[in-house]
Amino acid sequence: DQQVKQNSPSLSVQEGRISILNCDYTNSMFDYFLWYKKYPAEGPTFLISISSIKDKNEDGRFTVFLNKSAKHLSLHIVPSQPGDSAVYFCAASAPGAQKLVFGQGTRLTINP
Amino acid sequence: KAGVTQTPRYLIKTRGQQVTLSCSPISGHRSVSWYQQTPGQGLQFLFEYFSETQRNKGNFPGRFSGRQFSNSRSEMNVSTLELGDSALYLCASSFTGQRNTEAFFGQGTRLTVV
């Protein structure tokens, strides 16, 4: 039962353009969402988060959008840079739960 | 400030054996969580410890266990290893383990069961 789904295993984007990574969830109890970035042979690193009381959160080139009615969130990276090439995981948590439920990840490749 | 340290980085074990993985959190962090990453499955939550107490547990069989010491270091044990236990095991530490505090991940231990 995959409660958090990233339906695109991979995405290729031209340098300088916008990268949009998508994530869907099924558990309506989730109210806190995060994006992590992972390079090979390294652990995931935190990128950006959003609480369900918001529908948008920005941090530099990274913006996360949350559509609660559709149970969908997306990560926008503008402009995309070669160093953004990595695997991106979205994660969600419910109130009172310290555990994160992760999606399967999307491999983003930025082409020069 | 040193990051999260996991040892060993790589491990090869035989079916039926047991294995212990170690995680040293960032100094001052009291929460340690463990995750299993397998191809196509993403990261799956194993358990979380805070101040030596297990607070949360994922849907893994009893062969997977853990503990946390008074210095916040944590160990994870898997008994009677199966081929399907081959995975990257990641631990993450945070100050309180609260959802809105950033969790820092270690580089992981790559376990191969043959």
Side-chain angles (χ1 to χ4, degrees):
Chain A
D1 174 24
Q2 196 75 25
Q3 297 184 67
V4 178
K5 295 181 184 178
Q6 293 177 256
N7 291 317
S8 299
S10 63
L11 177 67
S12 189
V13 174
Q14 204 73 19
E15 181 180 356
R17 306 295 289 268
I18 182 171
S19 294
I20 300 176
L21 296 100
N22 294 301
C23 180
D24 297 297
Y25 60 96
T26 58
N27 189 339
S28 57
M29 295 299 293
F30 289 149
D31 69 345
Y32 192 70
F33 305 89
L34 308 90
W35 284 93
Y36 280 82
K37 174 179 176 179
K38 186 178 185 300
Y39 292 118
E42 293 183 15
T45 54
F46 170 78
L47 263 181
I48 191 168
S49 63
I50 188 167
S51 163
S52 61
I53 62 173
K54 293 185 174 182
D55 53 20
K56 177 183 173 181
N57 189 26
E58 278 183 87
D59 184 2
R61 296 186 298 114
F62 302 92
T63 303
V64 57
F65 294 92
L66 175 63
N67 182 333
K68 290 184 287 294
S69 60
K71 294 191 178 67
H72 176 84
L73 64 154
S74 60
L75 174 68
H76 292 209
I77 307 173
V78 183
S80 300
Q81 299 174 354
D84 295 331
S85 295
V87 178
Y88 289 78
F89 291 96
C90 70
S93 71
Q98 284 79 23
K99 73 175 190 180
L100 296 175
V101 180
F102 283 85
Q104 296 118 313
T106 297
R107 181 176 301 279
L108 175 65
T109 303
I110 305 301
N111 301 308
Chain B
K1 184 166 165 179
V4 178
T5 304
Q6 291 188 245
T7 55
R9 289 291 310 279
Y10 302 92
L11 206 48
I12 300 175
K13 289 286 188 178
T14 305
R15 259 186 313 176
Q17 286 187 312
Q18 75 162 11
V19 67
T20 299
L21 312 181
S22 178
C23 174
S24 293
I26 291 171
S27 177
H29 285 190
R30 294 165 65 189
S31 168
V32 174
S33 298
W34 288 88
Y35 291 84
Q36 180 197 66
Q37 184 185 9
T38 53
Q41 292 294 319
L43 286 82
Q44 294 184 288
F45 175 79
L46 281 154
F47 27 66
E48 188 246 355
Y49 286 87
F50 181 83
S51 292
E52 302 178 66
T53 301
Q54 186 181 89
R55 288 199 299 194
N56 270 279
K57 191 175 190 305
N59 297 324
F60 278 81
R63 299 186 297 107
F64 291 81
S65 63
R67 59 178 176 168
Q68 187 180 33
F69 302 94
S70 58
N71 62 358
S72 294
R73 189 178 71 85
S74 177
E75 287 182 347
M76 191 193 96
N77 185 76
V78 187
S79 62
T80 320
L81 283 165
E82 300 177 0
L83 295 179
D85 297 333
S86 295
L88 179 67
Y89 290 88
L90 292 157
C91 84
S93 79
S94 70
F95 184 62
T96 64
Q98 294 302 312
R99 299 174 313 138
N100 58 353
T101 58
E102 183 178 345
F104 295 83
F105 281 82
Q107 291 179 290
T109 294
R110 169 87 48 197
L111 171 66
T112 302
V113 182
V114 298

